Amino acid sequence: MKKKLFFSFVFVFLISSIFSQKNEVALAKARQAIDLMDKGKIDESIKLLEECIKLDTKDFTYPYELAYAYMLKKDYKTALKVIDKAKKLKNVNSQAYQLSGNCYSYLNEPEKAIKDYEEGMKKFPKAGNLHLEKGNVFLYQKKYNEAVSSYEKGIAVDPTFTSNYYRLALLFLDSSDKLSGLIYGEIFMNLERSTDRTIKMSELLLETYKKAIIFKSEDEIKIEFCDIVLTDKDLKKGKDIQFPLCAYFGKNIILATVGKKEINLASLSDIRTTFLNLYFKEDYKMHDNVLFDYQKNLLEKGLFTAYNHYIFQIGAPEEFENWVKNNQEEYNLFKDWYTNPDNYLKITSKNKFLRD
């Protein structure tokens, strides 16, 4: 199967994130140590990193990598000793608390893990990675509500950190609130353009649409994107009532499916196009949504059909290949636009998506 999800070329190399005032000898040794670590030569890597620390005692990077090496060896207690000392260094970051908390998790001490994550949150209030790890502890304990809350707090403080979207998408796509899963999942795919997780999400999203739009007969279509609960207090509000997003989504998506017989890339693209046209007549005023706004931009530029085929391609690879073959010019225009960093989905603290 050919996978055509586009790469965003981002090279993450922790030890060279800050070049100024680095000990060049230590930096070179650290690069060599990380290369050895990647090749599974952990003990050799540890020796080099210990030399780096002697050469530069004030840089957090080297003890962090040393602690990480010990964690790879599953020597979690030694990793904790190393990282706890490193937390006192000036250029420490949230990864120190992420690593120490993870070590406690591996030692089956979840309370200590959460304590470390929360300590890190106080020092680094915008660290979405710490909310992710705290949520993962709850997820492992099957405390799903607590996990969701932690992941969503992670989005609130760091709207561009992708892993919280990924975790939320997996949870909600496997729940009755599939709409939230679809939105979190598609936002994730736009922020993390091409990884194994993106490929998995592409397939999951198409599968979810197929499950949620049920063609019961030629004249009856049923949708199952979420459970809408209204109370008598809501109804007493009369015209002032604001329904949850799923109510507006459901109303418009059911109208958009009229005349369709099945869900495939072509029909789903048509459905989503009709949905946007209906939604942006009036209902968008009740629930502004960063993803729908981005889709509307693509629609106005004549790129939304190509985008839809791209997003869901892993779930229907043959259909995608055939569409590209027959619409190469359209797809190339989309590809050129979509891979331009100026056109990436931009999420901030002001326009971020969180469930109702």
Side-chain angles (χ1 to χ4, degrees), residues 168-235:
L168 286 166
L170 294 182
L171 284 168
F172 283 115
L173 291 174
D174 193 35
S175 75
S176 60
D177 186 3
K178 290 179 173 55
L179 176 60
S180 293
L182 289 168
I183 295 174
Y184 283 130
E186 193 169 334
I187 289 174
F188 164 77
M189 286 191 68
N190 278 281
L191 295 178
E192 186 172 300
R193 290 293 186 90
S194 189
T195 64
D196 288 342
R197 299 195 304 181
T198 320
I199 290 168
K200 178 180 179 180
M201 190 59 63
S202 173
E203 187 170 19
L204 276 175
L205 294 184
L206 182 59
E207 287 178 1
T208 301
Y209 271 106
K210 288 180 176 180
K211 290 177 182 177
I213 301 175
I214 305 163
F215 298 91
K216 303 192 75 173
S217 68
E218 290 188 4
D219 301 320
E220 184 179 1
I221 301 170
K222 182 180 179 183
I223 59 170
E224 295 181 349
F225 286 99
C226 70
D227 297 325
I228 300 173
V229 178
L230 295 176
T231 67
D232 59 338
K233 292 182 179 179
D234 294 323
L235 297 176

Side-chain angles (χ1 to χ4, degrees), residues 110-119 134 137-138 141:
E111 292 80 11
K112 289 185 178 180
I114 288 176
K115 183 179 178 182
D116 260 29
Y117 299 140
E118 290 179 343
E119 182 182 344
K134 182 179 177 182
V137 172
F138 289 133
Q141 296 174 331

Side-chain angles (χ1 to χ4, degrees), residues 100-307:
S100 60
N102 288 353
C103 285
Y104 281 121
S105 288
Y106 291 133
L107 289 168
N108 199 27
E109 297 184 65
E111 292 80 11
K112 289 185 178 180
I114 288 176
K115 183 179 178 182
D116 260 29
Y117 299 140
E118 290 179 343
E119 182 182 344
M121 290 172 197
K122 292 177 184 177
K123 294 187 177 182
F124 304 98
K126 294 184 179 181
N129 58 321
L130 298 178
H131 290 278
L132 168 75
E133 299 296 354
K134 182 179 177 182
N136 289 344
V137 172
F138 289 133
L139 184 63
Y140 182 78
Q141 296 174 331
K142 298 184 178 180
K143 296 179 179 179
Y144 300 116
N145 290 335
E146 290 91 337
V148 166
S149 177
S150 189
Y151 296 141
E152 291 187 326
K153 286 178 182 176
I155 290 176
V157 301
D158 189 355
T160 61
F161 183 72
T162 60
S163 291
N164 285 310
Y165 291 99
Y166 181 75
R167 289 292 185 181
L168 286 166
L170 294 182
L171 284 168
F172 283 115
L173 291 174
D174 193 35
S175 75
S176 60
D177 186 3
K178 290 179 173 55
L179 176 60
S180 293
L182 289 168
I183 295 174
Y184 283 130
E186 193 169 334
I187 289 174
F188 164 77
M189 286 191 68
N190 278 281
L191 295 178
E192 186 172 300
R193 290 293 186 90
S194 189
T195 64
D196 288 342
R197 299 195 304 181
T198 320
I199 290 168
K200 178 180 179 180
M201 190 59 63
S202 173
E203 187 170 19
L204 276 175
L205 294 184
L206 182 59
E207 287 178 1
T208 301
Y209 271 106
K210 288 180 176 180
K211 290 177 182 177
I213 301 175
I214 305 163
F215 298 91
K216 303 192 75 173
S217 68
E218 290 188 4
D219 301 320
E220 184 179 1
I221 301 170
K222 182 180 179 183
I223 59 170
E224 295 181 349
F225 286 99
C226 70
D227 297 325
I228 300 173
V229 178
L230 295 176
T231 67
D232 59 338
K233 292 182 179 179
D234 294 323
L235 297 176
K236 288 176 182 177
K237 295 177 183 178
K239 293 183 179 179
D240 294 329
I241 185 171
Q242 181 172 338
F243 292 103
L245 173 62
C246 197
Y248 299 103
F249 178 85
K251 177 189 71 173
N252 292 310
I253 205 76
I254 196 72
L255 291 172
T257 59
V258 172
K260 303 299 180 186
K261 304 297 181 184
E262 62 177 340
I263 297 299
N264 52 38
L265 296 188
S267 65
L268 183 55
S269 182
D270 288 345
I271 288 169
R272 280 162 50 101
T273 297
T274 303
F275 163 78
L276 286 179
N277 287 326
L278 293 169
Y279 184 77
F280 278 96
K281 284 183 177 179
E282 189 69 27
D283 293 339
Y284 75 98
K285 296 176 183 177
M286 304 302 292
H287 288 277
D288 192 21
N289 184 286
V290 63
L291 179 63
F292 296 164
D293 288 342
Y294 188 65
Q295 292 173 351
K296 182 173 180 284
N297 187 25
L298 282 153
L299 181 61
E300 290 172 346
K301 294 183 180 301
L303 303 173
F304 193 51
T305 298
Y307 169 83

